[in-house]
Amino acid sequence: MKVLVINAGSSSMKYQLLNMEDESVMATGLVERIGEATGKMIYKKFPDTDAEAKVERDDHVPDHRAAMHFVVDMIKDAEYGVIKDMNEVGAIGHRVVHGSDYFKSSVLVDEAVKEVIRKIIPLAPLHNPSAITGVEMAEELIPNVPNVAVFDTVFHQTMPERAFLYAVPRSLYEEQKVRRYGFHGTSHKYVAQQVATLMGKKLEEMNVITVHLGNGCSMAAVKNGKCVDTSMGMTPLAGLMMGTRSGDIDPAVLTYVGEHKNMSVEEIDTMLNKESGLKGICGLNDMRDIHEKAARGDASCKLALEMFSYRIRKYLGAYAVVLGSLDAVVFTAGIGENDDIVRSMVLRDLDCLGIELDLDKNKGRIKASKVISTDASRVKTWVIPTNEELQIARETVAVLKH
Ligand code: AMP
């Protein structure tokens, strides 16, 4: 079956067409700056051995409908396309950020499902509206092909109450659904399954900590294959220090800042989401820039790196205790896969957890799954490139088979 994966953001749309017979990518690309004066449309066909297999256009993309048109036109284009007719696509898998606790698994989209995703919009005002738009555009431009919603929150739905409830009046959960949900679930699930396969074990028989370090950062404690805790919360703001997000913070800081700096709720929200994290400490949010300045002796960049790594170490310790015993730790995403300095800062002196880093194996950017701990290390530590599109496509196939 061929599966088209759509990841619709507020001003962007990423897509990938996969052949699930062998899980190969047939075509991929993205449309950016939707609604702006000049947008960018990229289409790439695989195998991309000739330069002509890539199409790049800078042009106005007024809305998501135009973006979806580009996707449909390109994948069945006479010259660059990979299929002849959209009916060759067996299903469309959509990334949906927030499924609240309504969705415990990926689902076939119907009117009722769309209605619930809309109902969740207050919990994810920046993300869920574009997911709905993506589904509607697919229904309109690729009719008669089933749509499946794959939620970032679903993998974490196995958390027990003691992990997902906040210690605030319970009515906030019962009436407003205020609780920890967790995100990046597709990535955590993918790398957890991969590590089990690579170690020749069943995930249900393993305890794993997954560490997703990208623009957003989160960790998950996976016990016998089920997520039992994760660092992000009701929103993706909680937990680890991120590029521009604060991660965990004493909630009293917010009331204090509101009062003493006379900041509105919106201003505080912007500060915590866009002006904090690495950026808040050293003015930069891309790890590559931070390393460059730190190497030249910049004290605030060095401090940002120390803080970033320290927070991950604290969660590693906490989750090792949550799990009781630990089989593997997995690093993934932009920083997790590429940044040997951060990995070594996180993993140094962790004898207490049974983790012994092999500095040679850890060196450099890692493009394919690899163990970075020593042979003697009790807990195997891995770098595994994430593949959210493939995971969404796998979930999509699984929903249709049921
Ligand atoms: P992602 O959200 O997974 O695409 O990750 C994006 C982040 O990965 C960027 O903001 C960078 O900070 C980081 N990143 C990408 N490449 C590298 C690299 N070679 N070294 C360190 N960090 C990197």
Side-chain angles (χ1 to χ4, degrees), residues 124-139:
L126 297 178
H127 295 106
N128 274 26
S130 38
I132 281 288
T133 307
V135 170
E136 286 171 348
M137 291 305 103
E139 287 173 337

Side-chain angles (χ1 to χ4, degrees), residues 214-215 285-288 291 333-335 338-339 365:
N215 278 321
N285 61 286
D286 192 301
M287 261 313 173
R288 290 161 286 198
H291 284 304
I335 299 169
N338 294 308
D339 195 332
R365 300 174 66 182

Side-chain angles (χ1 to χ4, degrees), residues 106-260:
S106 304
V107 287
L108 192 64
V109 177
D110 58 15
E111 286 308 315
V113 165
K114 281 195 280 182
E115 202 41 51
V116 179
I117 298 174
R118 281 194 200 99
K119 203 170 147 186
I120 298 166
I121 286 176
L123 284 172
L126 297 178
H127 295 106
N128 274 26
S130 38
I132 281 288
T133 307
V135 170
E136 286 171 348
M137 291 305 103
E139 287 173 337
E140 187 184 319
L141 299 176
I142 317 170
N144 308 321
V145 176
N147 290 282
V148 171
V150 180
F151 302 89
D152 272 13
T153 44
V154 156
F155 182 58
H156 307 299
Q157 276 296 302
T158 45
M159 281 188 287
E161 269 190 327
R162 62 172 180 265
F164 76 66
L165 279 182
Y166 294 126
V168 294
R170 244 193 119 133
S171 56
L172 275 180
Y173 169 56
E174 281 151 5
E175 291 159 21
Q176 252 75 45
K177 295 266 181 198
V178 171
R179 53 159 283 183
R180 179 189 306 281
Y181 292 102
F183 299 88
H184 293 143
T186 310
S187 175
H188 288 290
K189 183 173 179 181
Y190 176 78
V191 296
Q193 277 173 344
Q194 285 297 105
V195 82
T197 307
L198 289 162
M199 289 176 73
K201 293 185 180 177
K202 286 201 174 109
L203 185 56
E204 300 78 59
E205 290 161 7
M206 287 182 76
N207 290 349
V208 182
I209 299 175
T210 49
V211 188
H212 177 111
L213 306 176
N215 278 321
C217 301
S218 68
M219 290 172 61
V222 183
K223 192 175 176 68
N224 300 324
K226 290 197 161 53
C227 176
V228 291
D229 207 348
T230 191
S231 59
M232 283 179 166
M234 184 181 87
T235 75
L237 184 56
L240 302 178
M241 184 172 170
M242 306 178 215
T244 61
R245 285 177 243 163
S246 64
D248 294 339
I249 186 172
D250 178 350
V253 171
L254 314 188
T255 44
Y256 181 87
V257 166
E259 195 177 330
H260 294 277

Side-chain angles (χ1 to χ4, degrees), residues 12-44:
S12 69
M13 188 185 280
K14 286 193 210 155
Y15 63 93
Q16 198 165 94
L17 181 68
L18 295 105
N19 182 350
M20 294 308 284
E21 303 303 319
D22 58 1
E23 298 193 332
S24 62
V25 179
M26 301 174 74
T28 188
L30 87 152
V31 183
E32 282 180 308
R33 300 199 290 273
I34 298 171
E36 291 182 28
T38 313
K40 191 168 200 67
M41 292 167 276
I42 299 175
Y43 170 85
K44 207 173 160 194

